Amino acid sequence: MTTPTPETLAAAGLQLGLTGPVATITLDRPDVRNAQTPAMWRALADLGAGLPGDVRVVVVRGNGPAFSAGLDRRLLDPSSVGGEEESVAGLVALSDEELSATIDAYQRGFTFLREPRFVSIAAVHGYAIGAGFQLALACDLRVLSTDAQLSMKEAALGLVPDLTGTKPLVDSVGYARALEICATARMVGADEAVRIGLALAAVPTEQLDSTVADLVQALVAPLPGAVTEIKTLLRGADQRDLETQRRLEREAQVRRFREMASLAGGR
């Protein structure tokens, strides 16, 4: 599948920048604090499917004053959206099977960020609310500015987080803290996010871009196959027993030795 055109992405409120092995995805609806829509989620899924094979790091960021304020609230009111836009009221009219399939399509705009072939980084400043928080959680790594505020607001609307955010939240902070964060819909500040394991670091806003750039450079320095194998090994390691994990380590190392030998022989 080919990468969506800049015009298609712009219509969904997105930008894509490609610089060598680094892809930067920018949420670009600054006038509404990068509020998200189903069109954006579908475009993200297409973008993920069409990323070039040599991309090794994907950075997700927001344009303007916030990473993402979450769901575009206009979608809760069918009278305020255009006839071609998907609204919550329109979803309710679907059958259970159709509604589940539609949500599955939305989720694919988040799941591609977990693919082993690259490392994904969320560069979060300002608000990351609801869908914005879940987009950050979909990334492998999160770096925050000190003004970042994270919140899983779905419970306040009578809903549940359904854009793949629940598992990485539990993986990061444990069941009890994840339940408290989701059920209360409270704000989690940058310092707390670092302390409880949600983020790698919190830095002044003016240092966010340079901090992420340094991390990107460190990630692209090793040979690409090694990072891909490491990501695959670490994902799900907590759910495997030691015997399974060490077998997977052996198999991965055999592949690395063979590839390194092949590269050396080709010189």
Side-chain angles (χ1 to χ4, degrees), residues 82-250:
E84 295 183 359
E85 293 188 70
E86 299 174 73
S87 70
V88 171
L91 294 178
V92 172
L94 300 175
S95 69
D96 287 356
E97 293 76 13
E98 292 169 329
L99 179 52
S100 179
T102 300
I103 295 172
D104 177 71
Y106 298 164
Q107 290 173 331
R108 294 180 188 279
F110 296 68
T111 55
F112 82 90
L113 291 163
R114 299 175 172 87
E115 291 181 13
R117 64 192 179 98
F118 51 71
V119 176
S120 53
I121 306 169
V124 180
H125 71 289
Y127 289 115
I129 308 297
F133 189 9
Q134 293 189 77
L135 184 60
L137 285 167
C139 294
D140 298 308
L141 308 172
R142 286 161 290 284
V143 179
L144 312 184
S145 65
T146 50
D147 71 342
Q149 293 285 324
L150 317 176
S151 176
M152 205 70 88
K153 279 291 186 185
E154 285 78 3
L157 302 173
L159 302 172
V160 302
D162 65 343
L163 295 171
T164 78
T166 55
K167 177 172 172 51
L169 183 60
V170 172
D171 288 346
S172 296
V173 304
Y175 163 75
R177 180 63 71 197
L179 175 60
E180 181 263 336
I181 288 171
C182 290
T184 65
R186 72 174 177 87
M187 292 288 187
V188 178
D191 289 341
E192 181 186 359
V194 174
R195 188 174 69 252
I196 65 179
L198 275 174
L200 290 178
V203 299
T205 303
E206 63 272 16
Q207 296 178 20
L208 182 61
D209 288 346
S210 61
T211 301
V212 170
D214 289 345
L215 178 58
V216 167
Q217 289 306 307
L219 289 168
V220 298
L223 289 174
V227 176
T228 297
E229 292 281 13
I230 289 169
K231 180 174 175 178
T232 302
L233 280 171
L234 294 180
R235 277 205 171 273
D238 60 336
Q239 299 171 25
R240 304 183 193 112
D241 59 36
L242 178 59
E243 289 303 308
T244 300
Q245 187 70 9
R246 70 190 191 94
R247 173 180 59 79
L248 294 174
E249 290 175 358
R250 294 194 304 270

